[in-house]
Amino acid sequence: MDGRVALALACGVWLSACPAASETESETESETGAEADTETGGQTPEERGAALYSSYCGFCHGDEGQGYAADNATALNNQEFLRLADEDFLAAAIRYGRPGTTMSAWGEVKAGPLSDDDIADLVAFIKSWQTVEDAEVDDYAIAPDSSTLRGETYYGVFGCEDCHGELGRGGPYVTLENPWFLTLASDGYLRESIVNGRPGTPMASYADGGMNDLTSAQLDDIIMLIRSWEREPNTDPIGPFVPEVSDAVLNPDGPDPGFELIDDRFIGVDAVKAALDQGAKLIILDARPHADFLDGHIEGAVSIPFFDLDTVIDELPQDVWIVNYCGCPHAVSGQSFDALQAAGFETIAVLDEGYYEWVERGYPVAIGG
């Protein structure tokens, strides 16, 4: 915005000798600016981004980006994170998500609700929390004699696997072997993250003078191990998605499952599995963005992203139990539960442990649409 204002002022001075042309161009620019303000409501990118953040991000990453509101989601306002994660890093993370984790793909290219302009506004809002200079780390290269084998040893000895999983996945925090993460995170990004940690979060520094400090060679070995997990991410677009609920009811002639809810809201995965085994009549509603559903979902579930629920809510029966689920494990499914409750639905529940516990227990899942 500042650049356009400066350019307009400069043009006004240069064209002062040509009143007719200046007036005509000023009128055109004024009309164009008015149209743009109408389209955006006169808001700045940061203001538009704040509204989007509230709708799609805050329930996991915290209202102010503090993180860990659901499923140990990253603290986006952490200054060590922000100095390393540039605009392209953040935009790609929002657009494509982290498939196989609770971080969904929100971009339209993956059937999500956010356009590229929306993502740019959201990134502008997130970066508005940054108070330190960007780090220049992308040129860093690990030593050529670094060893994956030694890296495996250090990864275990220094406790990386306790937080990130034995092979970079399955831990309570960031999934390091995720293809999109490793595509976007440079070796320098990884090194700085290990060295400095994320102050104020469970990610400690490994160069703070303590017993767990790593040497430069050990750092490079661990980075080489993490880099060995890298694989090509899936960039295939997913076409626009419209929920279809005509066949949403499972076992339409079956008995009522008779669920007894926890805190008038939750139902456990074992109870739902038992109901399905008994042929109970119910709907299993996958409230995640559609890309997550395609990657894997509870067998028999119907894909109704929470942000699309209002388009089909009148088509859903109110006399059938609806079990809402997501991966985080309550944040997104809770959005759907609340919307259904507000619309007068009574036989509704949130899957307490979420999708990934269902998978962990070996219960039936399906892939694709």
Side-chain angles (χ1 to χ4, degrees), residues 71 102 262 265-273 298 323-331 333 349-361 363:
D71 201 56
T102 56
I262 303 166
R265 188 176 181 92
F266 304 108
I267 190 71
V269 294
D270 293 335
V272 175
K273 176 60 164 56
I298 294 176
V323 177
N324 304 267
Y325 78 87
C326 63
C328 24
H330 302 149
S333 52
V350 170
L351 189 66
D352 194 14
E353 303 93 329
Y355 174 69
Y356 292 104
E357 181 61 28
W358 182 278
V359 173
E360 187 70 21
R361 298 196 188 192
Y363 292 163

Side-chain angles (χ1 to χ4, degrees), residues 69-296:
D71 201 56
N72 294 320
T74 298
L76 298 178
N77 70 359
N78 185 277
Q79 295 304 304
E80 277 298 320
F81 171 74
L82 287 172
R83 66 187 286 267
L84 295 172
D86 63 18
E87 284 81 359
D88 290 341
F89 182 102
L90 292 172
I94 295 166
R95 182 176 293 110
Y96 296 108
R98 300 279 190 263
T101 77
T102 56
M103 176 58 191
S104 300
W106 297 100
E108 287 180 341
V109 69
K110 289 293 185 177
L114 301 182
S115 68
D116 286 348
D117 287 343
D118 291 333
I119 292 171
D121 291 341
L122 189 49
V123 169
F125 173 67
I126 293 170
K127 291 296 274 186
S128 73
W129 289 323
Q130 185 172 345
T131 59
V132 296
E133 292 185 2
D134 288 342
E136 301 295 336
V137 298
D138 289 346
D139 292 335
Y140 179 80
I142 62 175
D145 60 348
S146 299
S147 165
T148 299
L149 185 60
R150 291 196 302 267
E152 289 177 351
T153 300
Y154 301 142
Y155 186 84
V157 168
F158 287 92
C160 306
E161 64 183 27
D162 296 337
C163 289
H164 301 289
E166 184 177 357
L167 297 173
R169 63 178 180 272
Y173 299 107
V174 173
T175 300
L176 298 178
E177 63 85 58
N178 184 270
W180 272 113
F181 174 73
L182 288 178
T183 294
L184 296 169
S186 67
D187 289 349
Y189 178 106
L190 295 174
R191 188 182 193 281
E192 286 290 299
S193 296
I194 298 169
V195 168
N196 296 321
R198 298 282 190 267
T201 80
M203 178 59 191
S205 165
Y206 283 83
D208 61 358
M211 292 182 63
N212 282 336
D213 280 7
L214 292 162
T215 67
S216 292
Q218 289 171 328
L219 285 165
D220 282 359
D221 289 339
I222 292 175
I223 292 168
M224 189 169 191
L225 169 67
I226 295 171
R227 189 61 64 194
S228 74
W229 298 327
E230 186 171 1
R231 59 194 190 278
E232 194 72 21
N234 181 359
T235 58
D236 295 340
I238 300 173
F241 173 69
V242 178
E244 170 56 56
V245 300
S246 59
D247 295 323
V249 179
L250 297 174
N251 309 313
D253 297 323
D256 185 280
F259 289 139
E260 294 185 7
L261 301 187
I262 303 166
D263 297 331
D264 295 322
R265 188 176 181 92
F266 304 108
I267 190 71
V269 294
D270 293 335
V272 175
K273 176 60 164 56
L276 290 172
D277 289 345
Q278 295 167 4
K281 179 181 180 180
L282 73 161
I283 294 173
I284 301 178
L285 189 159
D286 190 321
R288 303 171 298 167
H290 189 58
D292 291 330
F293 179 87
L294 295 178
D295 284 339

